[in-house]
Amino acid sequence: MKKTILVFSGLILALVLLFQLSTYSIHSGNLKTEFAVAIIAIVFLMVGIYINKKSLYKPPTNSGEINHQKIKELEITTREYEVLQAISEGLSNKEIADKLFLSESTIKTHVSNLLVKLNAKRRTQALQIAKTLQII
């Protein structure tokens, strides 16, 4: 946060200095108004491109490959994996039960087995672990 504040403070200071310098140059007669406006526009363009690149930068994500070997190592069954995928879609136990044509208590059992196998305390933590292990 401090770095962002310092960067923007520096940009504002540089722009104020640019405005003052261009005002001085115009009044002294060394620079035409059109050139001052063009220089300021170019500076604003460069600042905009810089901010755009910084704000849109996203760290590279994994390729989306599912690590089937890790699923086998954790001994996650096919049905438990289906439940895990449904959890990742944000479905509740009742919705998962309706989707997979199972009872809600069976889904609860699968969820608790997944929590044990992934060493998680909550469903959200299980999803985070599953994403880091690249099994979702």
Side-chain angles (χ1 to χ4, degrees):
M1 186 66 178
K2 290 180 183 178
K3 181 180 176 184
T4 305
I5 292 171
L6 289 175
V7 167
F8 278 105
S9 299
L11 286 173
I12 291 170
L13 181 63
L15 291 174
V16 168
L17 288 174
L18 180 66
F19 281 133
Q20 291 300 322
L21 181 63
S22 64
T23 304
Y24 172 74
S25 297
I26 290 171
H27 288 298
S28 67
N30 295 336
L31 185 67
K32 290 187 177 180
T33 308
E34 294 83 17
F35 289 124
V37 170
I39 291 171
I40 291 171
I42 290 171
V43 169
F44 271 102
L45 176 69
M46 295 300 175
V47 169
I49 291 171
Y50 173 77
I51 291 173
N52 185 27
K53 285 190 178 200
K54 286 291 185 178
S55 66
L56 293 180
Y57 173 74
K58 294 178 183 157
T61 57
N62 43 0
S63 62
E65 293 285 324
I66 302 296
N67 189 348
H68 296 287
Q69 182 64 31
K70 196 65 173 176
I71 295 171
K72 289 179 185 176
E73 288 175 13
L74 292 172
E75 298 176 356
I76 296 175
T77 64
T78 318
R79 186 59 84 175
E80 289 171 345
Y81 188 69
E82 290 173 352
V83 171
L84 183 62
Q85 288 176 324
I87 291 171
S88 71
E89 294 172 8
L91 301 178
S92 66
N93 287 345
K94 176 116 176 76
E95 293 170 331
I96 296 170
D98 292 341
K99 179 181 178 181
L100 299 178
F101 305 107
L102 297 171
S103 70
E104 194 172 349
S105 62
T106 305
I107 298 301
K108 288 180 182 178
T109 303
H110 288 311
V111 170
S112 65
N113 289 340
L114 280 168
L115 294 178
V116 169
K117 290 178 181 179
L118 292 173
N119 195 21
K121 294 180 182 176
R122 296 176 307 280
R123 292 163 63 119
T124 54
Q125 187 180 15
L127 286 176
Q128 289 174 338
I129 293 170
K131 285 181 181 179
T132 57
L133 296 175
Q134 295 180 343
I135 60 176
I136 290 185

